Amino acid sequence: MSKTRLQTMGDVRRYLAGLLNRFEAGEINEVHLKAAAYVSNILTGTIKDSDFEQRIEMLEEHLNARGKNGLKRAS
């Protein structure tokens, strides 16, 4: 089994497509496919949450920088 790094949604999409192709070719069984799909689903949620967290942090930094420069922040 290859050591694939799944760091983005695109990585997970390609990984799942490869798994499906391997399943259809008879290289892996249904149990393996289901387990990998389940873990991939959890990973996609984690990636989404991480992306949102990064975006929120950037917005907070931007708002704090504007506040320090004398600009009014919306209440």
Coordinates of all heavy atoms in Angstrom, one line a residue:
M1 N 0.8 -1.2 0.0 CA 0.0 0.0 0.0 C 0.9 1.2 0.0 O 1.9 1.3 0.7 CB -0.9 0.0 1.2 CG -1.7 1.3 1.4 SD -3.1 1.1 2.5 CE -4.3 0.4 1.4
S2 N 0.5 2.2 -0.8 CA 1.3 3.4 -0.9 C 1.1 4.3 0.3 O 0.0 4.3 0.9 CB 1.0 4.2 -2.2 OG -0.3 4.6 -2.2
K3 N 2.0 5.2 0.6 CA 1.9 6.1 1.7 C 1.5 7.5 1.1 O 2.3 8.3 0.8 CB 3.2 6.3 2.5 CG 3.6 5.0 3.2 CD 4.8 5.2 4.0 CE 5.1 3.9 4.8 NZ 6.2 4.0 5.7
T4 N 0.2 7.6 0.9 CA -0.4 8.8 0.4 C -0.7 9.9 1.4 O -1.3 9.5 2.5 CB -1.7 8.5 -0.4 OG1 -1.5 7.5 -1.3 CG2 -2.3 9.7 -1.1
R5 N -0.3 11.1 1.2 CA -0.6 12.2 2.1 C -1.9 12.8 1.7 O -2.0 13.3 0.6 CB 0.6 13.2 2.1 CG 1.9 12.6 2.6 CD 2.5 13.6 3.5 NE 3.8 13.1 4.0 CZ 4.0 12.8 5.3 NH1 3.1 13.1 6.2 NH2 5.1 12.3 5.6
L6 N -2.8 12.8 2.6 CA -4.1 13.4 2.3 C -4.3 14.7 3.1 O -4.6 14.6 4.3 CB -5.3 12.4 2.7 CG -5.2 11.0 2.0 CD1 -6.3 10.1 2.5 CD2 -5.2 11.1 0.5
Q7 N -4.0 15.8 2.5 CA -4.0 17.0 3.2 C -5.0 18.0 2.7 O -5.3 19.0 3.3 CB -2.6 17.7 3.1 CG -1.5 16.9 3.7 CD -0.1 17.5 3.6 OE1 0.1 18.3 2.7 NE2 0.7 17.1 4.5
T8 N -5.5 17.8 1.5 CA -6.5 18.7 0.9 C -7.8 17.8 0.5 O -7.7 16.6 0.3 CB -6.0 19.4 -0.3 OG1 -5.8 18.5 -1.4 CG2 -4.7 20.2 0.0
M9 N -8.8 18.5 0.2 CA -10.0 17.9 -0.3 C -9.7 17.2 -1.6 O -10.2 16.1 -1.9 CB -11.2 18.9 -0.4 CG -11.6 19.5 0.9 SD -12.2 18.3 2.0 CE -13.9 18.1 1.4
G10 N -8.9 17.8 -2.5 CA -8.5 17.2 -3.7 C -7.8 15.9 -3.6 O -8.0 14.9 -4.3
D11 N -6.9 15.9 -2.6 CA -6.1 14.7 -2.2 C -7.1 13.5 -1.9 O -7.0 12.4 -2.3 CB -5.2 14.9 -1.1 CG -4.1 15.8 -1.4 OD1 -3.7 16.1 -2.6 OD2 -3.5 16.3 -0.4
V12 N -8.1 13.8 -1.0 CA -9.0 12.8 -0.6 C -9.9 12.4 -1.8 O -10.2 11.2 -1.9 CB -9.9 13.4 0.6 CG1 -11.0 12.3 1.0 CG2 -9.1 13.7 1.8
R13 N -10.3 13.3 -2.6 CA -11.1 12.9 -3.8 C -10.3 12.0 -4.7 O -10.9 10.9 -5.1 CB -11.5 14.2 -4.6 CG -12.3 13.9 -5.8 CD -12.6 15.2 -6.7 NE -11.3 15.8 -7.1 CZ -10.5 15.4 -8.0 NH1 -10.7 14.3 -8.7 NH2 -9.4 16.1 -8.3
R14 N -9.1 12.3 -5.0 CA -8.3 11.4 -5.8 C -8.1 10.0 -5.1 O -8.1 9.0 -5.8 CB -6.9 12.0 -6.1 CG -7.0 13.2 -7.2 CD -5.7 13.7 -7.6 NE -5.0 14.4 -6.5 CZ -5.3 15.7 -6.2 NH1 -6.2 16.4 -6.9 NH2 -4.7 16.3 -5.2
Y15 N -7.8 10.0 -3.8 CA -7.7 8.8 -3.1 C -8.9 7.9 -3.2 O -8.8 6.7 -3.5 CB -7.3 9.1 -1.6 CG -7.3 7.9 -0.7 CD1 -6.2 7.0 -0.8 CD2 -8.3 7.7 0.2 CE1 -6.1 5.9 0.0 CE2 -8.2 6.6 1.1 CZ -7.2 5.7 1.0 OH -7.1 4.6 1.8
L16 N -10.1 8.5 -3.0 CA -11.3 7.8 -3.0 C -11.6 7.2 -4.5 O -12.1 6.1 -4.6 CB -12.5 8.6 -2.6 CG -12.6 8.8 -1.1 CD1 -13.6 9.9 -0.7 CD2 -12.8 7.5 -0.3
A17 N -11.3 8.1 -5.5 CA -11.4 7.6 -6.8 C -10.5 6.4 -7.1 O -11.0 5.4 -7.8 CB -11.1 8.8 -7.8
G18 N -9.3 6.5 -6.6 CA -8.4 5.4 -6.8 C -8.9 4.1 -6.1 O -8.8 3.0 -6.6
L19 N -9.4 4.3 -4.9 CA -10.0 3.1 -4.2 C -11.2 2.5 -4.9 O -11.3 1.3 -5.0 CB -10.5 3.6 -2.8 CG -9.5 3.7 -1.7 CD1 -10.2 4.2 -0.4 CD2 -8.9 2.3 -1.4
L20 N -12.0 3.3 -5.5 CA -13.2 2.8 -6.2 C -12.7 2.1 -7.5 O -13.2 1.0 -7.8 CB -14.1 4.0 -6.6 CG -15.4 3.6 -7.3 CD1 -16.2 2.6 -6.5 CD2 -16.2 4.8 -7.6
N21 N -11.7 2.6 -8.1 CA -11.2 1.9 -9.3 C -10.6 0.6 -8.9 O -10.7 -0.4 -9.6 CB -10.1 2.8 -10.0 CG -10.7 4.0 -10.7 OD1 -11.8 4.0 -11.1 ND2 -9.9 5.0 -10.8
R22 N -9.8 0.5 -7.8 CA -9.2 -0.7 -7.3 C -10.3 -1.7 -6.9 O -10.2 -2.9 -7.2 CB -8.3 -0.5 -6.1 CG -7.0 0.3 -6.6 CD -6.1 0.7 -5.4 NE -5.8 -0.5 -4.7 CZ -5.4 -0.4 -3.4 NH1 -5.3 0.7 -2.8 NH2 -5.0 -1.6 -2.8
F23 N -11.4 -1.2 -6.3 CA -12.5 -2.1 -5.9 C -13.2 -2.7 -7.2 O -13.4 -3.9 -7.2 CB -13.5 -1.3 -5.1 CG -14.8 -2.1 -4.8 CD1 -14.8 -3.2 -3.9 CD2 -16.0 -1.8 -5.4 CE1 -15.9 -3.9 -3.6 CE2 -17.1 -2.5 -5.2 CZ -17.1 -3.6 -4.3
E24 N -13.4 -1.9 -8.1 CA -14.0 -2.3 -9.4 C -13.1 -3.3 -10.1 O -13.6 -4.2 -10.8 CB -14.5 -1.2 -10.3 CG -15.6 -0.4 -9.7 CD -16.0 0.9 -10.5 OE1 -15.2 1.3 -11.3 OE2 -17.1 1.4 -10.2
A25 N -11.8 -3.2 -10.0 CA -10.9 -4.1 -10.6 C -10.7 -5.4 -9.8 O -10.0 -6.3 -10.2 CB -9.6 -3.4 -10.8
G26 N -11.3 -5.5 -8.7 CA -11.2 -6.6 -7.8 C -9.9 -6.7 -7.0 O -9.6 -7.7 -6.5
E27 N -9.2 -5.6 -6.9 CA -8.0 -5.5 -6.1 C -8.2 -5.4 -4.6 O -7.3 -5.8 -3.9 CB -7.1 -4.4 -6.6 CG -6.7 -4.6 -8.1 CD -5.9 -3.3 -8.6 OE1 -5.6 -2.4 -7.8 OE2 -5.7 -3.3 -9.8
I28 N -9.3 -4.8 -4.2 CA -9.6 -4.7 -2.8 C -11.0 -5.2 -2.6 O -11.9 -5.1 -3.5 CB -9.4 -3.3 -2.2 CG1 -10.3 -2.3 -2.9 CG2 -7.9 -2.9 -2.3 CD1 -10.3 -0.9 -2.3
N29 N -11.3 -5.6 -1.3 CA -12.7 -6.0 -1.1 C -13.6 -4.9 -0.5 O -13.1 -3.8 -0.3 CB -12.7 -7.2 -0.1 CG -12.1 -6.9 1.2 OD1 -12.2 -5.8 1.7 ND2 -11.5 -7.9 1.9
E30 N -14.9 -5.2 -0.4 CA -15.8 -4.2 0.0 C -15.6 -3.7 1.4 O -15.8 -2.5 1.7 CB -17.2 -4.8 -0.1 CG -18.4 -3.9 0.2 CD -19.7 -4.5 0.0 OE1 -19.8 -5.7 -0.4 OE2 -20.7 -3.8 0.4
V31 N -15.1 -4.6 2.3 CA -14.8 -4.2 3.7 C -13.7 -3.1 3.7 O -13.9 -2.1 4.4 CB -14.4 -5.4 4.5 CG1 -13.9 -5.0 5.9 CG2 -15.6 -6.4 4.6
H32 N -12.7 -3.4 2.9 CA -11.6 -2.4 2.8 C -12.1 -1.1 2.3 O -11.8 0.0 2.8 CB -10.5 -2.9 2.0 CG -9.3 -2.0 1.8 ND1 -8.0 -2.5 1.8 CD2 -9.2 -0.7 1.7 CE1 -7.2 -1.5 1.7 NE2 -7.8 -0.4 1.6
L33 N -12.9 -1.1 1.2 CA -13.4 0.1 0.6 C -14.3 0.9 1.6 O -14.1 2.1 1.7 CB -14.3 -0.3 -0.6 CG -15.0 0.9 -1.3 CD1 -13.9 1.8 -2.0 CD2 -15.9 0.3 -2.4
K34 N -15.2 0.2 2.3 CA -16.1 0.8 3.2 C -15.3 1.5 4.4 O -15.6 2.6 4.8 CB -17.1 -0.1 3.8 CG -18.2 -0.5 2.8 CD -19.2 -1.4 3.4 CE -20.4 -1.7 2.5 NZ -21.4 -2.6 3.1
A35 N -14.3 0.8 4.9 CA -13.5 1.3 6.0 C -12.7 2.6 5.5 O -12.7 3.6 6.2 CB -12.5 0.3 6.5
A36 N -12.1 2.5 4.4 CA -11.4 3.6 3.9 C -12.3 4.8 3.6 O -11.9 6.0 3.8 CB -10.6 3.2 2.6
A37 N -13.5 4.5 3.0 CA -14.4 5.6 2.8 C -14.9 6.3 4.1 O -15.0 7.5 4.1 CB -15.6 5.1 2.0
Y38 N -15.1 5.5 5.1 CA -15.5 6.0 6.4 C -14.5 6.9 7.0 O -14.8 8.1 7.4 CB -15.8 4.8 7.3 CG -16.2 5.3 8.7 CD1 -17.4 5.8 9.0 CD2 -15.2 5.2 9.8 CE1 -17.7 6.2 10.3 CE2 -15.5 5.6 11.0 CZ -16.8 6.1 11.3 OH -17.1 6.5 12.6
V39 N -13.2 6.5 7.0 CA -12.2 7.3 7.5 C -11.9 8.6 6.7 O -11.7 9.6 7.2 CB -10.9 6.5 7.7 CG1 -9.7 7.4 8.0 CG2 -11.0 5.4 8.7
S40 N -12.1 8.4 5.4 CA -11.9 9.6 4.5 C -13.0 10.6 4.7 O -12.8 11.8 4.7 CB -12.0 9.1 3.0 OG -10.9 8.3 2.7
N41 N -14.2 10.2 5.1 CA -15.3 11.1 5.4 C -15.0 11.9 6.6 O -15.2 13.1 6.7 CB -16.6 10.3 5.6 CG -17.8 11.2 5.7 OD1 -17.9 12.3 5.1 ND2 -18.7 10.9 6.6
I42 N -14.4 11.2 7.6 CA -14.0 11.9 8.8 C -12.9 12.9 8.5 O -12.9 14.0 9.0 CB -13.5 10.9 9.9 CG1 -14.7 10.0 10.4 CG2 -12.9 11.6 11.1 CD1 -14.3 8.9 11.2
L43 N -12.0 12.5 7.7 CA -10.9 13.4 7.3 C -11.3 14.6 6.6 O -10.9 15.7 6.8 CB -9.8 12.6 6.5 CG -8.6 13.4 6.0 CD1 -7.8 13.9 7.2 CD2 -7.7 12.5 5.1
T44 N -12.3 14.4 5.7 CA -12.8 15.6 5.0 C -13.5 16.6 5.9 O -13.3 17.8 5.8 CB -13.9 15.2 3.9 OG1 -15.0 14.6 4.5 CG2 -13.2 14.4 2.8
G45 N -14.2 16.1 6.9 CA -14.7 17.1 7.9 C -13.6 17.8 8.7 O -13.7 19.0 9.0
T46 N -12.6 17.1 9.0 CA -11.4 17.7 9.7 C -10.8 18.7 8.9 O -10.4 19.8 9.3 CB -10.4 16.6 10.1 OG1 -11.1 15.6 10.9 CG2 -9.3 17.2 10.9
I47 N -10.6 18.4 7.6 CA -10.0 19.4 6.7 C -10.8 20.6 6.6 O -10.3 21.8 6.6 CB -9.7 18.8 5.3 CG1 -8.6 17.7 5.4 CG2 -9.3 19.8 4.2 CD1 -8.5 16.9 4.1
K48 N -12.1 20.5 6.4 CA -13.0 21.6 6.3 C -13.0 22.5 7.6 O -12.9 23.7 7.5 CB -14.5 21.1 6.1 CG -14.8 20.6 4.7 CD -16.2 20.2 4.6 CE -16.5 19.5 3.4 NZ -17.9 19.0 3.3
D49 N -13.0 21.8 8.7 CA -13.0 22.6 10.0 C -11.6 23.3 10.1 O -11.6 24.5 10.6 CB -13.1 21.6 11.2 CG -14.5 21.0 11.3 OD1 -15.4 21.5 10.6 OD2 -14.7 20.1 12.1
S50 N -10.6 22.7 9.7 CA -9.3 23.3 9.8 C -9.2 24.5 8.9 O -8.7 25.6 9.2 CB -8.2 22.3 9.4 OG -6.9 22.9 9.4
D51 N -9.7 24.4 7.7 CA -9.8 25.5 6.7 C -10.6 26.7 7.3 O -10.2 27.8 7.2 CB -10.3 25.1 5.4 CG -9.4 24.2 4.6 OD1 -8.2 24.1 5.0 OD2 -9.9 23.6 3.6
F52 N -11.7 26.4 7.9 CA -12.6 27.4 8.5 C -11.8 28.1 9.6 O -11.9 29.3 9.8 CB -13.9 26.9 8.9 CG -14.9 26.6 7.9 CD1 -15.6 25.5 7.8 CD2 -15.1 27.6 6.8 CE1 -16.5 25.2 6.8 CE2 -16.0 27.3 5.8 CZ -16.7 26.1 5.8
E53 N -11.2 27.3 10.4 CA -10.4 27.9 11.6 C -9.4 28.8 11.1 O -9.2 29.9 11.6 CB -9.8 26.7 12.4 CG -9.1 27.2 13.6 CD -8.6 26.0 14.4 OE1 -8.1 25.0 13.8 OE2 -8.5 26.1 15.6
Q54 N -8.6 28.4 10.0 CA -7.6 29.3 9.5 C -8.2 30.6 8.9 O -7.6 31.7 9.2 CB -6.8 28.6 8.4 CG -5.9 27.5 8.9 CD -5.2 26.7 7.8 OE1 -5.5 26.9 6.6 NE2 -4.3 25.9 8.2
R55 N -9.3 30.5 8.2 CA -9.9 31.7 7.7 C -10.4 32.6 8.8 O -10.3 33.9 8.7 CB -11.1 31.3 6.8 CG -10.6 30.6 5.5 CD -11.7 30.1 4.7 NE -12.5 31.2 4.2 CZ -13.7 31.0 3.6 NH1 -14.2 29.8 3.4 NH2 -14.4 32.1 3.1
I56 N -11.0 32.1 9.9 CA -11.4 32.9 11.0 C -10.3 33.6 11.6 O -10.3 34.8 12.0 CB -12.2 32.1 12.0 CG1 -13.6 31.7 11.4 CG2 -12.4 32.8 13.3 CD1 -14.3 30.6 12.1
E57 N -9.2 32.9 11.8 CA -8.0 33.5 12.5 C -7.5 34.6 11.6 O -7.1 35.7 12.1 CB -6.9 32.4 12.7 CG -7.2 31.5 13.8 CD -6.2 30.4 13.9 OE1 -5.2 30.3 13.1 OE2 -6.3 29.5 14.8
M58 N -7.4 34.5 10.3 CA -7.0 35.5 9.4 C -7.9 36.7 9.5 O -7.4 37.9 9.5 CB -6.9 35.0 8.0 CG -5.8 34.1 7.7 SD -5.7 33.4 6.0 CE -6.0 34.8 5.0
L59 N -9.2 36.5 9.5 CA -10.2 37.6 9.7 C -10.0 38.4 11.0 O -10.0 39.6 11.1 CB -11.6 37.1 9.5 CG -12.0 36.7 8.1 CD1 -13.4 36.0 8.2 CD2 -12.1 37.9 7.2
E60 N -9.8 37.6 12.1 CA -9.6 38.2 13.4 C -8.3 39.0 13.4 O -8.3 40.2 13.9 CB -9.5 37.1 14.5 CG -10.8 36.5 14.8 CD -10.8 35.3 15.7 OE1 -9.7 34.8 15.9 OE2 -11.8 35.0 16.3
E61 N -7.2 38.5 12.8 CA -6.0 39.3 12.7 C -6.2 40.6 11.9 O -5.7 41.6 12.3 CB -4.9 38.4 12.1 CG -4.4 37.3 13.0 CD -3.4 36.4 12.3 OE1 -3.0 36.7 11.1 OE2 -3.1 35.3 12.9
H62 N -6.9 40.5 10.8 CA -7.2 41.6 10.0 C -8.0 42.7 10.8 O -7.6 43.9 10.8 CB -7.9 41.2 8.7 CG -8.3 42.4 7.8 ND1 -7.3 43.0 7.1 CD2 -9.4 43.0 7.6 CE1 -7.9 44.0 6.4 NE2 -9.2 44.0 6.7
L63 N -9.0 42.2 11.5 CA -9.8 43.2 12.3 C -9.0 43.8 13.4 O -9.1 45.0 13.7 CB -11.0 42.5 12.8 CG -12.1 42.1 11.8 CD1 -13.2 41.3 12.5 CD2 -12.7 43.4 11.2
N64 N -8.2 43.0 14.1 CA -7.3 43.5 15.1 C -6.3 44.5 14.6 O -6.1 45.6 15.2 CB -6.6 42.4 15.9 CG -7.5 41.6 16.7 OD1 -8.6 42.1 17.2 ND2 -7.2 40.3 17.0
A65 N -5.7 44.3 13.4 CA -4.8 45.2 12.8 C -5.5 46.5 12.5 O -4.9 47.6 12.7 CB -4.1 44.6 11.6
R66 N -6.7 46.4 12.0 CA -7.4 47.7 11.6 C -7.7 48.5 12.9 O -7.6 49.7 12.9 CB -8.7 47.3 10.9 CG -8.5 46.8 9.5 CD -9.8 46.6 8.8 NE -10.6 47.8 8.8 CZ -11.9 47.8 8.4 NH1 -12.5 46.7 8.0 NH2 -12.6 49.0 8.4
G67 N -8.1 47.8 14.0 CA -8.4 48.4 15.2 C -7.2 49.1 15.8 O -7.2 50.2 16.3
K68 N -6.0 48.6 15.6 CA -4.7 49.1 16.2 C -4.3 50.3 15.3 O -3.6 51.2 15.8 CB -3.6 48.1 16.2 CG -3.8 47.0 17.2 CD -2.7 46.0 17.2 CE -3.0 44.9 18.2 NZ -2.1 43.8 18.1
N69 N -4.8 50.4 14.1 CA -4.4 51.6 13.2 C -5.4 52.7 13.4 O -5.4 53.6 12.6 CB -4.4 51.1 11.8 CG -3.2 50.2 11.5 OD1 -2.2 50.3 12.2 ND2 -3.4 49.3 10.6
G70 N -6.2 52.7 14.4 CA -7.1 53.8 14.6 C -8.4 53.7 13.9 O -9.2 54.7 14.0
L71 N -8.7 52.7 13.2 CA -9.9 52.6 12.5 C -11.0 52.0 13.4 O -10.7 51.1 14.2 CB -9.8 51.7 11.2 CG -8.8 52.2 10.2 CD1 -8.6 51.2 9.1 CD2 -9.3 53.5 9.6
K72 N -12.2 52.4 13.3 CA -13.3 51.9 14.1 C -13.7 50.5 13.7 O -13.8 50.2 12.5 CB -14.5 52.8 14.1 CG -14.3 54.1 14.7 CD -15.5 54.9 14.7 CE -15.3 56.3 15.4 NZ -16.5 57.0 15.5
R73 N -13.9 49.7 14.7 CA -14.5 48.3 14.4 C -16.0 48.4 14.6 O -16.5 49.1 15.4 CB -13.9 47.3 15.4 CG -12.4 47.0 15.1 CD -11.8 46.1 16.1 NE -12.6 44.9 16.3 CZ -12.3 43.9 17.1 NH1 -11.3 44.1 17.9 NH2 -13.0 42.8 17.2
A74 N -16.6 47.6 13.8 CA -18.1 47.5 13.9 C -18.4 46.7 15.2 O -17.8 45.8 15.6 CB -18.7 46.7 12.7
S75 N -19.5 47.2 15.9 CA -19.9 46.6 17.1 C -20.8 45.4 16.9 O -21.6 45.4 16.1 CB -20.5 47.5 18.0 OG -19.8 48.7 18.2

